[in-house]
Amino acid sequence: MGIHSPTLLLASLLLSQLSVLGEWEKHVIVQGKGSMNVAVAADFDQDGHVDAMTSFSDGVTVFRGPDWKTSRQVTRFKDAYEGERKIRSGCIHGCLLDVDQDGDQDFVGSNQMVFWLECPDKPFEQDWTFRVIDEQILGTHCLITGDVDQDGKLDLIANSGRSENTAFPNSIVWLQAPANPKSGTPWTRRVFADKDAPGGSHYMGFGDVNRDGLPDVACGAKGGEKFPGGEWFAVWEQGRDGKSPWKKRILSDRQPGASNILPGDLDGDGLVDYLASRGHGKGVFWFKAEANSIKGGKFSPDFTPIEIDPTIERPHSLALADFDRDGDMDAATCGSLVTGEAVWYENDGKGKFTRHLLGKNQSSYDLRSVDMDGDEDLDVLIAGHFSSNLVWYENPHKSTVDPFPGKQSSWKGFAMNEFKLGNRNCKVVRPKKAAPGRPWIWRARFWGHEPQTDLALLNRGWHVAYSDVGNLFGAPQAVALWDKFHEKMTNEHGLAKKVALEGMSRGGLIIYNWAKKNPGETLCIYADAPVLHFESWPGGKGKGKGSKGTWAKCLQVYGLTEKEAETFRGLPLYGLESLAKQKVPLLHVVGQADTVVPVEENTDLLEKSYRSLGGSIKVIRKKGVGHHPHSLKDPQPIVSFVLDSWKSRGSQK
């Protein structure tokens, strides 16, 4: 399979240090009776504070932040499920997914089936509706989300780990929600590892490792006497067309107790590696991707296993995140009560890890990196199986982010900073509490016009930024100014590298031209009645009237004559290959009766071109509407598009 020798290469590691950067304080959300297997967190009631959720005592319970003293058991399994199957007292695993696309996080769990709980308007006062997703997927030890088919919507990936008494033994599937998931219509099930994951398959990782533009799924299987055929880590690679059978590659078949595997660039070489743990054995290690195999024009890395911590007992849970805010990926895990150690591993950026103790007397079945206290660093949330508790460890690494410059004021109830970069007016509006990863949306034109999308994102913890280059019509000068703004926002002020772009009308010129130059930093594009070719507007060479004076200014900025403009290709309609290769999702909102920026000369042409390149684009067409008003009265489709893009391409990358 092209895999290096299973001999494990020891990385430099200090095995017993406490963090020199400060001790992590342990906070107990609940100490209960029985096993707690699930730890998830989100702002379910949208009050600006992170809430926590776990499964114990015959159901699922949510705890209200910021003190988590108020709680509600949102469902009891014996009351919620009406089928004949005997149901467990708790979930074996769970995750979050906005199943019904209403802007809040629903809960997905496994309990002798896969199900979801609908988050109501008042999650601490109302029960959450229980709905079955799939009753045939059994022995599910892992549920993760990802956009498998690259259609802009998150899908659900689950393992069917049971070896008998099921229609899908030793398999892995992905599940696609129906158009109306509340209707009871069955989810579409696609089995891509058909009876091909034996030996007690456990946790999975999701991401494009072979750089073919399609996400892959990795998994580990614990093995042992009761689970023959395990002790492996493997990755299933999608077929190039997204339809042909997935190809299985064994990373290693000599890993007793194999359980967790997560993709990420651990040594800063631009290749995606895998972090792994033997959750039913001993040790944490990583698979280093080696760029030495190109077959048939397809990149296919080999992997070298490198030990991180060979001593930790039963590290059943695993997280990959930048805990010390230095720009590289660290790790966290927790052993069994044999040692009772929760630890994090500090990465030096080159794949060498130093072990730091979080706390003792703690076990774990599920572990997540979450900003629990809203201080813009990632904490560690743990569901303790044998310790019967839900706890979180507070990250002591305080933010080193510089404050935004300029004049401070208020915009729509949010704090705003106004400043100049060069001679350009810039604005940054801050949320009341930044979302983990510090996501942001960058508006190109018409500050404050139809602000409903920006306001909705501010309420979800997003920053909103603006840099006025409207009179440059997306010319190289505008792109250069935006490059400087992006560098300042990310390097000095800690905003996410990948940014959502928002452009109305002529703003389409700048967001697309900047994105084509910076596809790796472009999270997604929301374009509203966008100008995509300057001969359409302001040139007025097609169906639109154009603007004679503005057209002259546009040509001057680009340094073109009218004749040269006819064959100029430095515009959004051309050269979209870089965006398609990076799988940047696009959303256009247009008025079908637009006579200023005719749809057929702009969005229709780009849509056709981007689809031909394999790109994902959705167009919302407003019948009978002209160039104005921009946006949507209810911005939820736009907001969901941006949030889903962040979840699938930003927050976990």
Side-chain angles (χ1 to χ4, degrees):
M1 303 298 293
I3 306 302
H4 284 277
S5 168
T7 301
L8 300 179
L9 308 176
L10 294 179
S12 63
L13 176 69
L14 303 176
L15 288 178
S16 61
Q17 303 186 21
L18 291 176
S19 172
V20 297
L21 299 175
E23 295 187 1
W24 295 58
E25 182 180 357
K26 182 177 182 177
H27 303 268
V28 179
I29 295 176
V30 61
Q31 184 72 52
K33 295 182 180 180
S35 301
M36 295 189 193
N37 296 340
V38 181
V40 294
D43 184 7
F44 297 112
D45 58 357
Q46 301 188 33
D47 66 347
H49 300 291
V50 173
D51 312 304
M53 180 177 282
T54 191
S55 174
F56 74 112
S57 298
D58 193 35
V60 177
T61 299
V62 62
F63 301 84
R64 174 179 280 158
D67 58 11
W68 304 281
K69 293 180 180 180
T70 300
S71 65
R72 178 181 178 85
Q73 187 178 59
V74 298
T75 191
R76 295 186 69 192
F77 293 127
K78 64 180 182 180
D79 298 330
Y81 179 64
E82 299 178 351
E84 297 180 358
R85 180 170 291 156
K86 184 178 180 180
I87 203 162
R88 296 174 179 266
S89 61
C91 293
I92 194 71
H93 200 247
C95 69
L96 298 176
L97 175 65
D98 185 6
V99 176
D100 52 6
Q101 298 288 293
D102 64 350
D104 55 33
Q105 292 296 303
D106 307 302
F107 177 79
V108 179
S110 59
N111 188 327
Q112 301 290 70
M113 71 192 70
V114 182
F115 67 91
W116 71 284
L117 302 176
E118 179 191 350
C119 181
D121 293 336
K122 298 178 179 180
F124 289 93
E125 300 175 22
Q126 300 170 308
D127 289 342
W128 295 38
T129 302
F130 180 103
R131 294 186 175 90
V132 175
I133 292 176
D134 197 314
E135 289 189 280
Q136 301 302 314
I137 305 303
L138 303 176
T140 301
H141 274 262
C142 185
L143 295 162
I144 61 173
T145 61
D147 188 1
V148 180
D149 56 356
Q150 303 287 276
D151 66 349
K153 297 181 179 180
L154 291 175
D155 307 299
L156 183 67
I157 306 150
N159 70 324
S160 185
R162 185 173 293 182
S163 60
E164 56 187 12
N165 299 322
T166 174
F168 305 98
N170 298 324
S171 301
I172 307 175
V173 309
W174 70 275
L175 300 154
Q176 188 176 38
N180 181 7
K182 300 180 184 180
S183 65
T185 303
W187 289 43
T188 301
R189 181 197 310 120
R190 294 181 173 87
V191 184
F192 64 88
D194 189 6
K195 303 178 184 64
D196 200 25
S201 63
H202 263 58
Y203 299 103
M204 296 177 290
F206 180 84
D208 182 11
V209 178
N210 60 8
R211 303 195 304 194
D212 64 353
L214 297 171
D216 313 305
V217 176
C219 188
K222 63 183 181 181
E225 293 183 2
K226 295 183 179 179
F227 298 92
E231 302 188 357
W232 51 259
F233 286 103
V235 57
W236 281 263
E237 301 172 334
Q238 284 200 66
R240 278 192 162 183
D241 58 1
K243 298 178 182 179
S244 56
W246 294 46
K247 182 180 179 181
K248 180 182 180 180
R249 295 184 67 212
I250 297 291
L251 304 185
S252 178
D253 59 1
R254 300 180 184 179
Q255 302 293 336
S259 60
N260 278 282
I261 185 166
L262 299 171
D265 183 4
L266 299 182
D267 54 0
D269 64 354
L271 303 179
V272 179
D273 314 295
Y274 280 112
L275 177 73
S277 73
R278 309 177 189 96
H280 285 263
K282 183 186 293 185
V284 174
F285 67 106
W286 64 290
F287 291 103
K288 175 177 171 56
E290 307 283 4
N292 59 355
S293 181
I294 300 178
K295 302 174 182 177
K298 183 178 180 180
F299 176 75
S300 183
D302 289 343
F303 293 89
T304 300
I306 301 175
E307 197 79 52
I308 295 175
D309 184 351
T311 66
I312 188 165
E313 296 276 356
R314 299 176 69 85
H316 196 272
S317 55
L318 193 65
L320 184 62
D322 184 7
F323 290 110
D324 55 3
R325 301 177 62 87
D326 64 352
D328 56 45
M329 302 305 289
D330 311 300
T333 189
C334 183
S336 69
L337 279 183
V338 174
T339 58
E341 290 183 334
V343 299
W344 77 281
Y345 303 98
E346 179 187 357
N347 190 355
D348 70 348
K350 298 180 180 180
K352 293 183 178 180
F353 293 84
T354 301
R355 184 185 196 265
H356 302 296
L357 184 65
L358 297 177
K360 296 183 178 182
N361 301 315
Q362 179 65 42
S363 75
S364 172
Y365 202 86
D366 194 10
L367 182 151
R368 312 282 174 133
S369 58
V370 185
D371 182 9
M372 296 294 293
D373 51 4
D375 63 353
E376 302 183 0
D377 58 29
L378 291 171
D379 310 298
V380 175
L381 177 68
I382 299 177
H385 182 75
F386 293 109
S387 52
S388 300
N389 58 6
L390 180 67
V391 306
W392 67 281
Y393 289 89
E394 182 179 353
N395 194 331
H397 303 143
K398 302 305 178 184
S399 175
T400 58
V401 173
D402 293 339
F404 293 104
K407 177 184 176 183
Q408 295 190 18
S409 59
S410 177
W411 184 77
K412 309 291 185 180
F414 294 91
M416 180 172 69
N417 284 63
E418 298 180 79
F419 56 96
K420 287 185 178 291
L421 187 60
N423 63 347
R424 297 287 161 172
N425 292 324
C426 303
K427 305 177 190 287
V428 177
V429 183
R430 307 191 305 272
K432 291 180 172 59
K433 184 181 70 173
R438 294 172 65 83
W440 57 302
I441 188 168
W442 190 359
R443 180 182 276 239
R445 187 63 173 160
F446 306 112
W447 172 257
H449 179 66
E450 298 290 345
Q452 48 267 45
T453 295
D454 297 342
L455 289 170
L457 290 172
L458 281 164
N459 283 317
R460 299 298 293 268
W462 284 56
H463 287 71
V464 176
Y466 174 74
S467 180
D468 187 10
V469 293
N471 60 353
L472 296 178
F473 305 97
Q477 306 95 298
V479 174
L481 289 166
W482 264 40
D483 283 343
K484 292 180 179 179
F485 185 85
H486 181 268
E487 181 180 7
K488 185 177 182 66
M489 292 298 103
T490 57
N491 292 347
E492 295 182 23
H493 305 294
L495 298 186
K497 291 291 184 182
K498 287 185 178 180
V499 56
L501 302 179
E502 177 184 14
M504 295 180 177
S505 195
R506 73 173 71 179
L509 293 169
I510 177 60
I511 62 174
Y512 270 103
N513 282 355
W514 187 86
K516 288 192 297 179
K517 183 185 175 186
N518 301 277
E521 285 72 46
T522 303
L523 176 70
C524 61
I525 291 176
Y526 156 48
D528 200 298
V531 177
L532 303 173
H533 198 303
F534 54 29
E535 282 204 304
S536 176
W537 188 95
K541 305 300 182 181
K543 294 184 177 182
K545 295 181 179 180
S547 173
K548 186 176 181 180
T550 307
W551 178 227
K553 294 178 182 177
C554 179
L555 292 174
Q556 183 181 10
V557 168
Y558 276 91
L560 298 171
T561 65
E562 286 209 30
K563 185 67 175 177
E564 292 170 334
E566 293 177 2
T567 57
F568 184 67
R569 292 297 182 265
L571 294 167
L573 286 181
Y574 311 109
L576 296 167
E577 289 82 2
S578 63
L579 296 179
K581 185 176 180 179
Q582 288 287 329
K583 300 293 182 180
V584 176
L586 314 180
L587 172 66
H588 283 211
V589 177
V590 298
Q592 282 292 82
D594 193 339
T595 59
V596 179
V597 184
V599 178
E600 56 267 41
E601 297 174 0
N602 292 272
T603 288
D604 285 354
L605 297 178
L606 187 141
E607 180 186 19
K608 182 179 179 180
S609 176
Y610 203 59
R611 292 192 189 280
S612 71
L613 296 169
S616 172
I617 178 172
K618 180 179 180 180
V619 181
I620 298 176
R621 302 175 186 272
K622 300 180 289 186
K623 294 182 179 181
V625 177
H627 192 60
H628 293 100
H630 291 301
S631 190
L632 301 172
K633 186 176 182 180
D634 179 3
Q636 192 55 55
I638 305 170
V639 175
S640 294
F641 165 76
V642 175
L643 294 177
D644 289 347
S645 298
W646 172 249
K647 187 171 183 181
S648 63
R649 307 188 68 249
S651 59
Q652 301 177 7
K653 307 296 178 184

